[in-house]
Amino acid sequence: MLQGNHVGIVGTGIYLPKGVMTAADISAATNGVWSEEAVRDKLGINQKYVPQDPVADGTQEMGALAALDCLKNTGVDPKGIDVILCIGEEWKEYPLTTSALYIQDRIGAVNAWGIDVQNRCCTCVSAMKIARDMLLADDEVNMVLVVGGYRNGDFVDYTDRNMSMMYDLGAGGGAILLQKNLGRNLLLGSHILSDGSLARTAGVAYGGTANPITCENLEEARHSLRLFEPEKMKARLNEVSAPNWVTCIEKSLEKAKLQLSDLDYLAILHIKRSGHLGMFKDLGLSEEQTIYLEDYGHIGQIDQILSLHLALEQGKVKDGSVICMLAAGFGYTWAANIIQWGPCDQHSQ
């Protein structure tokens, strides 16, 4: 039997908008600089989900809809949720509103308190570590909902050649529910690395206090997600990104008292095809041990929840499977965690 407290995953929920942008659409948006074939083969995008409904596809509302899907899938009473950690993006319906509290009200989690956390595309894995630590440390916290929406693709300028690494940005919502002493689906360990030298190498150029939106820059501001220092960012990432990811995987496995050979499934964010294939080669894993999100795009920090959700539906994750969630986010942060699916009684916590 399990010794001491542990944290398990109750289940997941997903919301995807009905709007779709195909590889052909992306090619056209680049004015033909990127061919449809190159978008598919090099960037690894067949299609991606984009906002369509002006109400349902808001960042906060997509998080709420994913949370409702999670509650439906798990049968959990929302009154049993103690904390909501919202991983939704800062680009949302109304600035300075607290997304966690909007979701709290929408799902009827009247006994919870909520807070917004943000680590860009690393936020899900980072928040799951925060949730696990809270659950193990606080006797009053027994269930935590990690949830959010994402639609940063709104800011992409497809005519900016430096932005090709972000042509895959899509939209959607995800939710993952964690519970103390669940007895199954254990979150066993996490590891996170950050490099603050890259903190302002990418971001939205207009709309903050440094560059407020004006009548003159309004149209440019609408699509001003940019690489501020593309050469510095790309050079540094080429140097440290792959090693940092490997370190995060190895350290999280070590904390879980497991080895790389135990890994069955990698829930990895969407990246270009060559990077994806290179990662699996470096780790000695097969492409069958993941789901490449070429039909969904990169939905930021929702990717790991989506990958696990799809893997459960497709039978790639089953009882006994060891899962690694792998993420990276502008700033720059790398993160991994280890989950053992199914009834698990061999790990002490």
Side-chain angles (χ1 to χ4, degrees):
M1 298 295 293
L2 287 167
Q3 302 296 316
N5 288 334
H6 61 274
V7 173
I9 295 170
V10 185
T12 60
I14 289 292
Y15 172 80
L16 295 170
K18 292 182 171 61
V20 170
M21 190 174 189
T22 66
D25 295 331
I26 294 171
S27 172
T30 70
N31 296 324
V33 172
W34 280 80
S35 68
E36 178 181 351
E37 181 181 22
V39 171
R40 291 181 184 275
D41 295 343
K42 293 185 178 181
L43 298 182
I45 313 166
N46 293 332
Q47 66 171 33
K48 64 177 184 176
Y49 286 88
V50 294
Q52 185 178 66
D53 188 307
V55 177
D57 298 343
T59 303
Q60 294 173 328
E61 181 63 10
M62 288 192 291
L65 292 170
L68 290 169
D69 185 55
C70 183
L71 294 174
K72 181 186 72 174
N73 295 337
T74 60
V76 166
D77 184 343
K79 295 178 182 178
I81 297 172
D82 299 295
V83 179
I84 298 172
L85 297 180
C86 184
I87 61 173
E89 269 296 346
E90 294 175 292
W91 174 236
K92 54 195 175 187
E93 289 90 329
Y94 299 99
L96 303 185
T97 57
T98 305
S99 300
L101 303 187
Y102 175 84
I103 294 170
Q104 176 197 19
D105 183 61
R106 281 283 283 112
I107 69 175
V110 294
N111 296 315
W113 63 269
I115 187 171
D116 294 356
V117 295
Q118 193 43 248
N119 205 191
R120 301 285 79 79
C121 300
C122 247
T123 316
C124 176
V125 178
S126 298
M128 287 176 68
K129 173 175 168 49
I130 293 170
R132 181 179 184 271
D133 292 347
M134 291 177 66
L135 287 160
L136 294 178
D138 192 335
D139 291 339
E140 295 183 350
V141 178
N142 292 293
M143 190 178 296
V144 178
L145 177 66
V146 175
V147 58
Y150 182 97
R151 52 177 294 170
N152 287 2
D154 292 355
F155 286 107
V156 174
D157 178 359
Y158 295 93
T159 65
D160 183 345
R161 298 191 184 196
N162 285 326
M163 285 293 293
S164 61
M165 66 181 296
M166 288 187 258
Y167 290 169
D168 62 348
L169 296 188
I176 187 164
L177 192 62
L178 296 91
Q179 183 175 328
K180 184 185 297 179
N181 298 333
L182 183 65
R184 65 181 188 272
N185 310 335
L186 270 62
L187 176 56
L188 295 172
S190 306
H191 195 77
I192 304 171
L193 291 172
S194 291
D195 184 343
S197 71
L198 298 170
R200 287 189 176 177
T201 53
V204 177
Y206 296 98
T209 58
N211 294 306
I213 295 176
T214 66
C215 294
E216 290 73 25
N217 66 30
L218 176 60
E219 289 307 312
E220 183 181 1
R222 293 179 189 274
H223 302 287
S224 61
L225 178 56
R226 294 178 182 162
L227 303 190
F228 298 151
E229 298 181 82
E231 297 307 320
K232 174 184 176 179
M233 179 176 165
K234 291 176 182 178
R236 183 63 176 159
L237 292 183
N238 286 338
E239 178 186 353
V240 303
S241 195
N244 282 353
W245 255 340
V246 171
T247 296
C248 288
I249 294 170
E250 291 177 344
K251 291 291 187 181
S252 57
L253 282 166
E254 181 181 327
K255 293 172 185 179
K257 300 177 182 176
L258 293 168
Q259 299 178 351
L260 185 58
S261 58
D262 295 313
L263 193 59
D264 297 300
Y265 184 82
L266 188 65
I268 183 173
L269 74 169
H270 183 273
I271 55 178
K272 66 180 181 179
R273 196 177 299 276
S274 62
H276 179 88
L277 295 175
M279 174 62 68
F280 276 77
K281 182 179 179 180
D282 290 345
L283 295 175
L285 301 174
S286 76
E287 293 180 59
E288 293 302 311
Q289 291 175 280
T290 192
I291 295 172
Y292 188 46
L293 300 175
E294 60 189 352
D295 293 321
Y296 297 86
H298 176 35
I299 313 177
Q301 49 268 41
I302 308 304
D303 281 8
Q304 292 77 27
I305 301 174
L306 174 60
S307 184
L308 175 59
H309 189 86
L310 294 172
L312 289 166
E313 288 183 345
Q314 297 178 23
K316 287 180 175 282
V317 167
K318 56 193 73 173
D319 285 358
S321 294
V322 175
I323 304 152
C324 175
M325 287 184 168
L326 192 63
F330 288 150
Y332 213 90
T333 304
W334 299 262
N337 67 27
I338 299 297
I339 301 159
Q340 182 156 357
W341 204 258
C344 300
D345 59 7
Q346 63 265 49
H347 288 276
S348 298
Q349 298 296 303

